[in-house]
């Protein structure tokens, strides 16, 4: 596909995901937490079409770079309550597109880099959402990290969905095909970083840390 069409498709897709989440929230069909996770999973999963459709890393990085600025403005002005309501000091909506931009810029042209950056971003998109939703619904065994509370059930969900994310990236993106060791190592690191993070910084640390671990293991192997 021509990069211009891929760029247009990216913006249309993001608008649809955010619009859907906002519509459902306003209609009372979903809570704020669910609307936020719809956006989180929907936007994060777009990394798969990104690496498959775009040829230029700079054009691929353009949408997330723009959304760093837009999300900052949205936090300040409250443009999207489905995404920003109750965020407070949590600026994860800014960190996530920042991680997109940094990983595309740094790993796109590296050997095995596309698979690694895809895996890193999918662990955050799928794993973090699962950890939050399952932790809230089923979390009974809690532990404390700094001032924040986590649950063993949520962390287990993070690990399982991160395993699925790394395996999917390896299977679908050229240069991947991860074996058991990198899949488990990537999922374990993503789980630890998510559990230890505060104020939305996991949206940066999990994708970047997991991606570079996987890329580094590929280089060593």
């Amino acid at each position: 596909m021509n990069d211009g069409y891929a760029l247009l498709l990216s913006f249309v897709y993001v608008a649809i995901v955010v619009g859907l989440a906002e519509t459902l929230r306003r209609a009372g069909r979903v809570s704020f937490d669910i609307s936020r996770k719809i956006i989180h999973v929907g936007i994060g999963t777009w990394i798969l079409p990104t690496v498959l459709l775009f040829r230029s890393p700079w054009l691929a990085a353009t949408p997330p770079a723009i959304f760093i600025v837009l999300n900052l403005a949205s936090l300040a002005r409250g443009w999207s309550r489905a995404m920003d309501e109750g965020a407070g000091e949590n600026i994860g909506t800014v960190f996530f597109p920042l991680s997109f931009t940094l990983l595309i810029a740094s790993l796109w042209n590296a050997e095995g880099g596309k698979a690694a950056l895809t895996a890193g971003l999918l662990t955050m998109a799928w794993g973090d959402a699962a950890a939050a939703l399952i932790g809230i619904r089923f979390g009974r065994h809690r532990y404390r990290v700094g001032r924040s509370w986590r649950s063993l059930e949520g962390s287990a969900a993070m690990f399982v969905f991160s395993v699925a994310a790394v395996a999917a990236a390896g299977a679908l993106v050229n240069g991947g095909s991860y074996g058991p060791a990198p899949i488990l190592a990537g999922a374990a690191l993503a789980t630890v970083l998510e559990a230890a993070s505060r104020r939305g910084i996991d949206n940066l640390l999990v994708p970047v840390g997991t991606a570079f671990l996987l890329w580094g293991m590929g280089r060593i192997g």
Side-chain angles (χ1 to χ4, degrees), residues 70-103:
L70 291 179
N71 289 355
L72 274 171
S74 182
L75 280 170
R77 299 182 177 274
W79 290 341
S80 174
R81 296 186 65 189
M83 186 169 60
D84 301 328
E85 184 177 292
E89 296 181 340
N90 186 320
I91 57 171
T93 56
V94 176
F95 286 136
F96 205 19
L98 177 60
S99 67
F100 263 77
T101 306
L102 292 175
L103 286 174

Side-chain angles (χ1 to χ4, degrees), residues 112-128:
K114 285 185 181 179
L117 72 90
T118 301
L121 289 162
L122 287 183
T123 57
M124 192 62 214
W126 299 356
D128 179 69

Side-chain angles (χ1 to χ4, degrees), residues 10 41 81 84 101 118 122 124 153 167 175 178 187 193-194 198 203 206 209 218-219:
S10 296
V41 174
R81 296 186 65 189
D84 301 328
T101 306
T118 301
L122 287 183
M124 192 62 214
E153 293 82 357
Y178 294 118
L193 290 175
E194 191 277 335
R198 297 178 56 210
N203 285 279
V206 171
R219 298 296 292 170

Side-chain angles (χ1 to χ4, degrees), residues 29-165:
R29 306 294 289 273
V30 300
S31 66
F32 157 70
D33 286 332
I34 298 298
S35 70
R36 191 180 178 99
K37 294 308 175 186
I38 290 173
I39 295 172
H40 186 78
V41 174
I43 302 303
T45 302
W46 186 250
I47 188 57
L48 275 170
T50 295
V51 299
L52 296 175
L53 296 178
F54 281 93
R55 288 175 291 178
S56 166
W58 307 114
L59 287 177
T62 296
I66 290 174
F67 280 104
I68 294 171
V69 178
L70 291 179
N71 289 355
L72 274 171
S74 182
L75 280 170
R77 299 182 177 274
W79 290 341
S80 174
R81 296 186 65 189
M83 186 169 60
D84 301 328
E85 184 177 292
E89 296 181 340
N90 186 320
I91 57 171
T93 56
V94 176
F95 286 136
F96 205 19
L98 177 60
S99 67
F100 263 77
T101 306
L102 292 175
L103 286 174
I104 290 172
S106 58
L107 290 179
W108 186 277
N109 289 322
E111 183 179 351
K114 285 185 181 179
L117 72 90
T118 301
L121 289 162
L122 287 183
T123 57
M124 192 62 214
W126 299 356
D128 179 69
L133 296 176
I134 292 177
I136 291 172
R137 179 66 179 84
F138 300 105
R140 297 293 182 271
H141 302 85
R142 303 175 71 197
Y143 62 95
R144 189 166 184 168
V145 179
R147 297 180 181 179
S148 302
W149 288 94
R150 299 287 189 267
S151 72
L152 292 178
E153 293 82 357
S155 293
M158 175 72 189
F159 180 78
V160 170
F161 277 81
S162 293
V163 165

